């Protein structure tokens, strides 16, 4: 960005407390949102929308949820996919069992169910931290999937445990084409990202960061540890739950519990590690990296007419190498790279 | 966030430029979202290798009335999310895919709602939703030859015959040792109904995926002293089961595997332990003229798809060749109705798949007599056969031990198919009807 905030003075507390204090940033955000909302659905092919952009946005939301918990509140978790599963299966049940329920309300209720599960499995965080907590959140992962395969009521008594997500309708308007699904997902994700941005600047966010940086000190200065940590688990699980519901309703359509396996949890963890721990932008960058890069490599390998078996192994190798490279060059993720670039440009051409 | 979207817009432009290249439609294009890496690579490479070998053979022989078959693979790693992406990518290539075969229950479920909209028929040979056999509710899904429910019914029939008639099953114990996932639970409605009907005790023992540890399950089996064990496994679970059975002194002859537990990849790693083990199959193991032709015309020219030539005619490869034959016959059938010598559209190919009739004479002409059961599909019956065989591992290769094709309780399976598919239709607000 070849612009500086020099000359933009803040004269009131309101001006100082804006989400984006620099005018150019604000304009750029509105322009990108407008492009994403108005132009992309028109110019993108259905493939681009339904196979690239929708999963990218959904994974970004899930990564954002994990980032709230891990990046901002400092609680490691490996149960992301389980919270997504709770959100998805709960939303499915709300739609199936309460006739005429608005689908967005079902998503919110699904998210709340995930939040409750999150609180229950967040309880160990009061006593243990770090890798030990990560290991204990693994229990969520296995417990939730186990529940979904064992309790037929949760999956609507389907013989194989697979649910079929219902049609999405809001006020009689069906979201059934790739364009419409994309707009719905974009709306939900943009709203929740904005919400997260605001939450993190508020008291709540500050208390999370205080706990992350040193929980004993945070307790001494008056933050209530239990409330803060459990709130982080609740909010994070809510985000993951909504992402899971979108994954089932707007992307896959039909899911079996196995779709939300440990592998998915790891992928979302990689997203925030690569994108940037403790950064909203990082969640999006990380999701883009993990979702888009394999597809891009795959298409590239195909363009070079490599045999499929070679291509897919090459893809894994390149992907792994790039991850290692990025983490060596910038262990704080892509978001930090961006920040450094911005700071350098701010001082350019005089580096002092 | 805006920066993220900007990055995104860039990538979009890049990928878009790759995807937009489209070719003239002169070939019959098939989408193959395959997997050749990851935990299930052995199955994927054999199956897709078989399909591609047969397509290559058809093309080498001049195509279907002059129309060549073309295809494109896309690596899914058996991951539903990747599979959906692959399907979306392939479906618009080369003027549009006219058929898709994902060989994964998860991916099949992921694209189930998309295929009727896109008018791309999907085949699910021996997996997926069993109730998709009802073409009135699932016009675009074809669980050809046999689905899980028919197989489960056939298994019970075979076990009954082995004991001297299904009536003899009364009071016996049958263990269903299954992969604890949608795949493993799929046959339960049929097994439970048959248990109630014939009076045998069904003991359900789940194995947590991937199934590399089964000590406690086999201890439980040994205590229960069952008359038969149905091994409904997948991947690494199968060889672990066979080896653990040996360690616990359970006779392998009493174990009957599902067809995904009946390949060389399952028995060879188990070594001696697998000797005498039986499993289901919808192929008759052995050699066929069509395989010889593939060896001669494709592999000597170096165009074969399998890296290891000894895998030609192995269970997965033969299953792939069978799939290839069914696809090509469907294309031929569709061409006979909609005009020979030009590729048919997805909708037309759907008709071809729904009106398949591969009898023994046709099989003989292809050079695959008895390789798979005769298939005759209709709107009501997208499965087309439901017949299976039982094969036994002799330590070196599979041998068919039932000379005839076995068909289980068809009426019962049909009843369950109707119930389940109508429930789906009600959920999705589909009015069941035959398509023209």
């Amino acid at each position: 960005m070849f612009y500086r905030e020099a000359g933009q003075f803040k004269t009131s507390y309101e001006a100082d407390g804006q989400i984006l204090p620099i005018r150019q940033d604000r304009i750029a955000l509105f322009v990108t949102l407008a492009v994403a909302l108005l132009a992309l659905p028109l110019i993108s092919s259905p493939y681009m929308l339904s196979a690239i952009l929708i999963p990218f946005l959904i994974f970004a939301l899930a990564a954002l949820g994990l980032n709230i918990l891990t990046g901002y509140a400092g609680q490691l978790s490996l149960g992301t996919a389980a919270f997504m599963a709770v959100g998805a299966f709960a939303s499915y049940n709300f739609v199936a069992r309460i006739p005429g329920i608005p689908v967005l309300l079902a998503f919110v209720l699904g998210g709340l169910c995930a939040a409750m599960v999150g609180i229950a499995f967040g309880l160990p965080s009061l006593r243990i931290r770090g890798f030990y907590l990560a290991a204990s959140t693994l229990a969520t992962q296995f417990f939730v999937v186990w529940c979904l395969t064992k309790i037929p009521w949760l999956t609507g008594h389907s013989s194989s445990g697979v649910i079929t997500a219902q049609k999405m309708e809001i006020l009689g308007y069906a979201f059934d084409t790739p364009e419409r699904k994309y707009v719905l997902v974009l709306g939900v994700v943009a709203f929740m990202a904005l919400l997260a941005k605001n939450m993190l600047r508020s008291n709540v966010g500050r208390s999370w960061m205080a706990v992350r940086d040193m929980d004993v000190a945070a307790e001494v200065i008056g933050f209530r540890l239990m409330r803060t940590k459990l709130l982080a688990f609740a909010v994070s699980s809510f985000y993951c739950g909504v992402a899971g519901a979108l994954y089932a309703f707007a992307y896959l359509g039909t899911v079996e519990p196995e779709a939300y396996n440990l592998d998915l949890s790891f992928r979302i963890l990689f997203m925030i590690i690569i994108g940037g721990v403790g950064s909203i932008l990082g969640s999006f960058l990380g999701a883009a990296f993990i979702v888009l890069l394999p597809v891009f490599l795959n298409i590239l390998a195909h363009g070079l007419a490599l045999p499929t078996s070679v291509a897919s192994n090459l893809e894994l190798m390149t992907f792994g190498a790039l991850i290692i490279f990025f983490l060596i060059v910038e262990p704080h993720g892509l978001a930090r790279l961006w920040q450094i670039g911005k700071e350098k440009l701010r001082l350019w051409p005089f580096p002092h | 966030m805006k920066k993220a979207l900007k990055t995104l817009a860039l990538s979009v432009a890049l990928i878009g430029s790759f995807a937009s290249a489209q070719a003239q439609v002169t070939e019959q294009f098939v989408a193959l979202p395959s997997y050749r890496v990851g935990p299930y690579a052995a199955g994927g490479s054999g199956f897709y290798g078989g399909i591609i070998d047969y397509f290559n053979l058809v093309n080498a022989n001049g195509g279907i009335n002059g129309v060549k078959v073309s295809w494109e693979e896309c690596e899914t790693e058996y991951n539903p999310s990747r599979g959906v992406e692959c399907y979306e990518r392939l479906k618009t290539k080369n003027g549009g895919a006219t058929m898709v075969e994902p060989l994964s229950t998860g991916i099949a479920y992921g694209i189930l709602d998309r295929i009727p909209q896109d008018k791309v028929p999907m085949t699910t040979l021996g997996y997926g939703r069993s109730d998709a056999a009802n073409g009135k509710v699932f016009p675009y899904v074809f669980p050809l030859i046999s689905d899980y429910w028919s197989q489960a019914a056939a298994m019970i029939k075979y076990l009954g015959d082995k004991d001297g008639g299904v009536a003899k099953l009364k009071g016996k114990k049958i263990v269903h040792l299954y992969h604890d996932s949608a795949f493993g639970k799929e046959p339960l409605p049929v097994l439970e109904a048959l248990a109630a009907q014939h009076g045998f005790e069904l003991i359900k023992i789940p194995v947590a995926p991937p199934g590399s540890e089964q000590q406690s399950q086999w201890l439980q089996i040994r205590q229960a002293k069952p008359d038969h064990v149905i091994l409904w496994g997948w991947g690494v679970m199968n060889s672990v089961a066979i080896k653990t059975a040996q360690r616990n002194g359970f006779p392998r002859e009493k174990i009957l595997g599902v067809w995904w537990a009946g390949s060389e990849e399952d028995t060879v790693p188990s070594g001696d332990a697998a000797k005498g083990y039986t499993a289901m199959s919808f192929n008759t193991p052995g050699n066929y003229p069509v395989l010889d032709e593939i060896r001669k015309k494709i592999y000597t020219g170096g165009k074969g798809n399998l890296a290891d030539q000894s895998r030609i005619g192995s269970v997965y490869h033969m299953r792939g060749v069978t799939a290839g034959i069914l696809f090509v016959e469907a294309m031929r059938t569709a061409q006979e109705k909609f005009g020979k010598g030009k590729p048919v559209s997805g909708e037309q190919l759907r008709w071809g798949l729904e009106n398949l009739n591969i009898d023994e004479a046709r099989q003989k002409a292809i050079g695959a007599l008895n390789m798979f059961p005769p298939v005759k599909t209709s709107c009501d019956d997208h499965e087309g056969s439901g017949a299976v065989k039982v094969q036994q591992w002799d330590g070196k290769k599979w041998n068919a031990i039932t000379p005839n094709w076995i068909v289980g309780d068809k009426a019962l399976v049909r009843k369950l198919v109707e119930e389940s598919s109508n429930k789906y239709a009600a959920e999705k607000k589909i009015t069941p009807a035959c398509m023209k």
Side-chain angles (χ1 to χ4, degrees):
Chain A
M1 290 294 144
F2 298 96
Y3 57 82
R4 304 157 196 210
E5 62 264 51
Q8 298 188 24
F9 300 109
K10 297 157 200 154
T11 51
S12 65
Y13 283 118
E14 285 84 51
D16 198 37
Q18 290 195 52
I19 295 186
L20 299 164
I22 307 171
R23 193 195 302 131
Q24 287 88 335
D25 276 351
R26 281 198 297 277
I27 295 169
L29 177 67
F30 284 123
V31 170
T32 21
L33 266 181
V35 168
L37 189 62
L38 303 173
L40 282 183
L42 292 177
I43 57 164
S44 304
S45 62
Y47 163 68
M48 195 62 62
L49 290 171
S50 60
I52 305 279
L53 292 177
I54 290 178
F56 157 71
L57 287 171
I58 292 171
F59 282 124
L61 187 62
L64 184 59
L66 181 63
N67 226 336
I68 288 173
L69 185 66
T70 304
Y72 287 99
Q75 312 295 312
L76 272 179
S77 165
L78 284 176
T80 323
F83 299 130
M84 289 175 75
V86 174
F89 282 81
S91 303
Y92 162 78
N93 274 307
F94 280 119
V95 178
R97 288 169 208 285
I98 308 174
I101 187 178
V103 75
L104 279 181
L105 180 63
F107 289 170
V108 172
L109 291 174
L112 287 178
C113 288
M116 281 191 284
V117 175
I119 291 175
F121 282 90
L123 285 172
S125 69
L126 305 175
R127 283 299 180 86
I128 52 177
R129 39 183 126 134
F131 291 120
Y132 303 97
L133 180 62
S136 89
T137 53
L138 260 184
T140 339
Q141 183 61 55
F142 295 122
F143 181 75
V144 167
V145 175
W146 180 82
C147 271
L148 292 175
T149 47
K150 278 290 166 291
I151 306 175
W153 189 83
L154 292 175
T155 48
H157 294 278
S158 101
S159 62
S160 51
V162 181
I163 58 161
T164 308
Q166 296 89 345
K167 289 202 170 89
M168 292 188 293
E169 255 185 34
I170 296 170
L171 302 172
Y173 191 77
F175 287 84
D176 47 5
T177 63
E179 290 83 10
R180 291 174 182 181
K181 281 182 183 169
Y182 165 76
V183 169
L184 180 73
V185 172
L186 180 73
V188 172
V189 174
F191 175 74
M192 290 181 76
L194 212 63
L195 201 70
K197 176 88 181 162
N198 263 327
M199 199 161 24
L200 293 167
R201 300 180 321 134
S202 71
N203 236 354
V204 182
R206 283 168 216 273
S207 67
W208 287 341
M209 284 179 255
V211 168
R212 168 192 70 188
D213 292 341
M214 193 174 212
D215 54 356
V216 179
E219 197 170 13
V220 167
I221 58 171
F223 287 117
R224 281 148 69 193
L225 273 195
M226 187 173 103
R227 226 189 85 173
T228 312
K229 282 184 176 176
L230 290 186
L231 187 64
F233 264 99
V235 172
S236 153
S237 314
F238 180 82
Y239 271 70
C240 294
V242 174
L246 288 175
Y247 189 64
F249 278 76
Y251 182 49
L252 283 185
T254 49
V255 269
E256 60 167 327
E258 266 297 299
Y260 298 98
N261 56 11
L262 186 58
D263 192 53
L264 186 64
S265 289
F266 276 122
R267 281 177 62 204
I268 294 166
L269 187 64
F270 294 153
M271 284 177 198
I272 69 163
I273 292 175
I274 287 169
V277 176
S279 151
I280 289 183
L281 169 67
S283 312
F284 284 86
L285 292 183
F289 190 85
I290 301 270
V291 174
L292 299 182
L293 192 70
V295 176
F296 180 72
L297 287 174
N298 193 302
I299 293 175
L300 192 70
H302 198 83
L304 297 174
L306 293 169
T308 359
S309 50
V310 177
S312 44
N313 284 314
L314 205 65
E315 180 191 321
L316 290 178
M317 284 153 64
T318 322
F319 195 62
L322 273 174
I323 288 179
I324 295 171
F325 171 78
F326 268 119
L327 293 185
I328 290 173
V329 172
E330 185 44 72
H332 296 289
L334 298 172
R336 175 86 185 128
L337 267 182
W338 174 256
Q339 205 183 342
I340 292 173
K342 226 170 116 173
E343 272 161 23
K344 290 228 152 98
L345 279 173
R346 200 171 286 169
L347 297 172
W348 185 83
F350 307 112
H352 49 74
Chain B
M1 195 179 72
K2 66 182 172 31
K3 295 116 191 176
L5 289 169
K6 207 168 271 176
T7 325
L8 177 71
L10 235 165
S11 340
V12 165
L14 256 170
I15 295 175
S17 62
F18 274 98
S20 63
Q22 285 194 349
Q24 198 71 31
V25 192
T26 52
E27 294 174 328
Q28 190 71 45
F29 180 62
V30 175
L32 299 177
S34 64
Y35 44 95
R36 290 167 185 268
V37 294
Y40 306 115
S45 59
F47 182 78
Y48 288 101
I51 295 179
I52 291 170
D53 280 346
Y54 188 71
F55 282 168
N56 270 323
L57 180 68
V58 168
N59 286 349
N61 288 341
I64 310 154
N65 299 321
V67 179
K68 297 256 165 98
V69 186
S70 72
W71 60 90
E72 189 167 323
E73 281 187 80
C74 174
E75 176 65 41
T76 67
E77 291 171 32
Y78 200 72
N79 176 338
S81 185
R82 286 287 299 269
V84 170
E85 188 270 316
C86 277
Y87 166 74
E88 289 288 337
R89 188 191 322 168
L90 294 178
K91 79 176 186 200
T92 51
K93 286 260 174 93
N94 298 346
T98 53
M99 215 192 78
V100 62
E101 165 58 67
L103 196 63
S104 147
T105 303
I107 300 174
Y109 274 109
I111 62 179
L112 195 70
D113 280 349
R114 299 167 190 242
I115 49 168
Q117 286 175 9
D118 300 331
K119 301 200 176 0
V120 180
M122 169 169 76
T123 60
T124 58
L125 262 87
Y127 67 92
R129 284 187 84 109
S130 301
D131 58 359
N134 184 358
K136 286 180 183 158
V137 177
F138 296 94
Y140 276 88
V141 187
F142 292 86
L144 288 174
I145 297 189
S146 183
D147 55 36
Y148 287 140
W149 287 355
S150 302
Q151 173 181 225
M155 277 172 141
I156 298 299
K157 173 149 197 306
Y158 165 73
L159 293 177
D161 288 349
K162 206 171 142 187
D163 291 350
V166 257
K168 291 272 170 61
L169 282 176
K170 199 171 177 67
K172 296 223 159 130
K173 284 183 190 166
I174 297 180
V175 164
H176 177 58
L177 182 73
Y178 65 100
H179 193 266
D180 201 1
S181 64
F183 153 68
K185 289 196 288 186
E186 185 77 29
L188 286 176
V190 171
L191 293 177
E192 277 162 1
L194 286 169
Q197 196 180 328
H198 298 304
F200 61 85
E201 190 189 344
L202 181 69
I203 306 169
K204 293 172 267 185
I205 305 179
V207 176
S212 36
E213 174 52 54
Q214 297 172 31
Q215 200 57 42
S216 66
Q217 280 91 346
W218 283 94
L219 220 57
Q220 203 183 334
I221 290 173
R222 204 171 63 171
Q223 281 161 0
K225 295 201 183 65
D227 299 280
H228 305 285
V229 171
I230 292 175
L231 172 61
W232 206 280
W234 175 217
V236 67
M237 174 181 162
N238 301 328
S239 54
V240 172
I242 295 166
K243 278 190 272 191
T244 317
Q246 183 196 37
R247 218 173 302 134
N248 283 289
F250 190 84
R252 264 76 70 215
E253 287 78 4
K254 283 189 179 180
I255 310 176
L256 179 62
V258 64
W259 52 55
W260 301 114
S263 69
E264 287 78 3
E265 283 75 12
D266 301 309
T267 48
V268 171
S270 318
D272 273 350
K275 215 167 172 179
Y277 166 67
T278 50
M280 308 302 285
S281 176
F282 44 78
N283 289 123
T284 316
N287 195 28
Y288 297 91
V290 64
L291 295 177
D292 285 331
E293 215 184 336
I294 285 175
R295 281 194 192 91
K296 199 174 77 202
K297 285 194 179 156
I298 306 299
Y299 279 85
T300 43
K303 278 175 71 189
N305 196 274
L306 297 176
D308 177 7
Q309 288 208 25
S310 67
R311 285 183 75 195
I312 302 171
S314 69
V315 171
Y316 279 128
H317 183 257
M318 201 191 287
R319 203 167 287 167
V321 172
T322 305
I325 292 174
L326 294 174
F327 302 162
V328 169
E329 289 312 302
M331 292 164 194
R332 201 184 301 280
T333 312
Q335 275 194 20
E336 272 158 24
K337 181 174 163 82
F338 298 101
K340 284 185 186 179
K342 57 176 199 270
V344 290
S345 70
E347 281 172 282
Q348 293 167 340
L349 188 53
R350 192 205 72 81
W351 187 90
L353 283 162
E354 199 165 75
N355 292 282
L356 265 182
N357 186 8
I358 309 177
D359 51 12
E360 289 187 340
R362 185 70 205 138
Q363 282 185 340
K364 196 160 187 200
I366 301 166
L369 181 62
N370 235 340
M371 187 161 128
F372 54 92
V375 179
K376 189 172 190 320
T377 52
S378 66
C379 163
D380 259 330
D381 179 14
H382 273 195
E383 190 184 14
S385 161
V388 286
K389 277 199 180 178
V390 180
Q391 53 180 2
Q392 187 167 37
W393 182 253
D394 67 2
K396 286 199 176 59
K397 62 177 185 358
W398 289 103
N399 299 299
I401 53 170
T402 50
N404 300 318
W405 296 102
I406 311 169
V407 181
D409 190 340
K410 235 178 161 155
L412 172 84
V413 172
R414 190 64 214 176
K415 195 176 127 249
L416 291 168
V417 164
E418 292 281 343
E419 278 172 15
S420 175
S421 58
N422 286 333
K423 191 174 155 228
Y424 177 87
E427 260 178 38
K428 287 277 175 182
K429 302 191 178 70
I430 299 170
T431 325
C434 282
M435 291 183 98
K436 277 189 185 164

